[in-house]
Structures are given as C-alpha cells and as structure tokens.
Amino acid sequence: MAQRNDSSVARLERVVASLLASELHAVRRGGFERGERVRWGTDTPVSGGEIGVDSLELIGVATAISDFFGLHQIGIEDRLLVDRTIGGWAQLVATGLENGCETLAFRTSGTSGEPKRIEHDINTLRAEARYFAQMFGGVERVVALVPAHHLYGFVHTVLVPEALGVDVIDKEFSLRTGAVRSLRAGDLVVATPFVWEELRTLGMEIPAGVRGVSSGAPID
C-alpha cells in the first residue's frame, strides 16, 4: 500500500483473521468454527490463547498467509514466526504490500470441482476496485456479509473501501435480522445470492439509501 494507516491495517487484520479461521476449519476437519474470528483482536495470539494453534499447525497457517499475500516474493515470510498475533501478521502483510509483494494467491471454493489456486496482481485488483468505487458515490460504510479472503470479498470489502476511504462493518457472522437493523442510508451491502435470499425472506424493510452488490449467480 502506498501509505500505511490504521484503517488499512485494520482491513488487513480482517483478511488475516478470515484466512486463518478458514485454514483452521479445514485442518481440524470442521472442528473449528470460522465465526470464532469475530472475537479476535489486534493483540490476539495465534499460538496459544483462544486460537490455540500448535507448532505443526503454525507452520501450515503461516505458509498459507505467506502464499496468499506473496510474502515469499521479498523473503519476509519467516517473520510470521516472530510476532505471532493477528495485528503482527497484518503489519507484516502491510510491509510486504508496501515493498514489492505484488501477486496475491486466491483459491476457488471447490463447490464445482477441486479448489484451484489462482494468482492475481494486486495493482490490477486495485484498479478494478477504483472502477467500482466510481459507481458508489455517496457510500459512507461498506457492510460485509462475505469472507474477506475470497476474491469477491477482498475486492469489495477491502480494496473498494480503501479506494472510497470509508469504514467496513463486519456482519458476516451476525444474525441477519441484526444486520438489517444496523443498516442506514449510505451503506453498501456486500453479499452473495444465498445471503440476499436470506435477507429477502426475512420480510424486513431495508432503509432507503442502502445499496448492495452480489456475485456468483443470478438473484431474484
């Protein structure tokens, strides 16, 4: 990132936490709830404490973080083993993005076949985000109901808010009724077709001035 600030690092903390929770859910064969990440903060330790990553898991999840953000591209991946906190990892990622980590590695969901690793240039993704940001004049907050480490979520809940200079409200693991009640004019809701269908069936009125985006399939 061109200039580091507290909000940009906070957005990266959400990506780090989302990816870490997803990796632990897979490694522990569903024995770890991804929603636990909402309890984590900047100082939450990765090894020990409530996350409780053991020595073998630490190598695996640190490798996943390094691969996703391309930390190996500039040789700083081993520093993930030094400051083993959510905030420490986000700060290291910010350093990497400021100093030459240009390729991010996303994985497909695997719902229609084996998951695939697909690399994307960060500058191309930022250009895409700036294009979308031009459509969202007047947006004051981005309300995220999707994982931040998926490509769609990364662009729309990390890079678009960065381009707009607005805050992100994380509602991925909130009750849908509560998420709707928290909305206000100027919000941009980022969700999937499945989540939009959930919101529709609640029968709750969405406030005027709220906009939304979707991806992955047609919606009603």
Side-chain angles (χ1 to χ4, degrees), residues 53-197:
V53 170
D54 64 29
S55 57
L56 291 178
E57 290 175 331
L58 178 63
I59 298 301
V61 296
T63 298
I65 296 291
S66 174
D67 183 54
F68 183 95
F69 290 105
L71 301 183
H72 57 281
Q73 296 168 25
I74 60 172
I76 63 172
E77 67 272 27
D78 284 345
R79 289 168 58 185
L80 289 166
L81 303 179
V82 178
D83 187 349
R84 303 176 188 179
T85 63
I86 298 296
W89 282 11
Q91 290 283 353
L92 184 61
V93 167
T95 297
L97 294 176
E98 291 167 359
N99 292 280
C101 295
E102 298 181 348
T103 304
L104 275 63
F106 296 86
R107 294 187 182 275
T108 60
S109 63
T111 54
S112 58
E114 287 296 318
K116 297 179 181 178
R117 180 182 180 279
I118 302 176
E119 295 186 350
H120 289 270
D121 180 82
I122 184 62
N123 293 316
T124 301
L125 296 180
R126 285 187 177 130
E128 181 179 344
R130 289 193 296 270
Y131 170 81
F132 284 119
Q134 293 175 0
M135 302 179 181
F136 301 139
V139 165
E140 299 176 356
R141 307 188 306 177
V142 170
V143 180
L145 279 74
V146 296
H149 70 285
H150 290 177
L151 180 58
Y152 169 54
F154 187 81
V155 170
H156 284 277
T157 72
V158 179
L159 298 183
V160 167
E162 182 179 75
L164 291 170
V166 301
D167 291 333
V168 178
I169 310 301
D170 187 350
K171 293 291 183 180
E172 183 187 358
F173 293 105
S174 298
L175 294 179
R176 303 309 185 202
T177 49
V180 173
R181 280 200 307 273
S182 71
L183 296 177
R184 67 191 191 199
D187 284 348
L188 175 69
V189 180
V190 182
T192 62
F194 175 77
V195 174
W196 281 117
E197 177 63 15

Side-chain angles (χ1 to χ4, degrees), residues 37-54:
R37 69 163 183 78
V38 300
R39 299 165 48 191
W40 305 344
T42 300
D43 298 325
T44 300
V46 174
S47 53
E50 60 189 286
I51 301 179
V53 170
D54 64 29

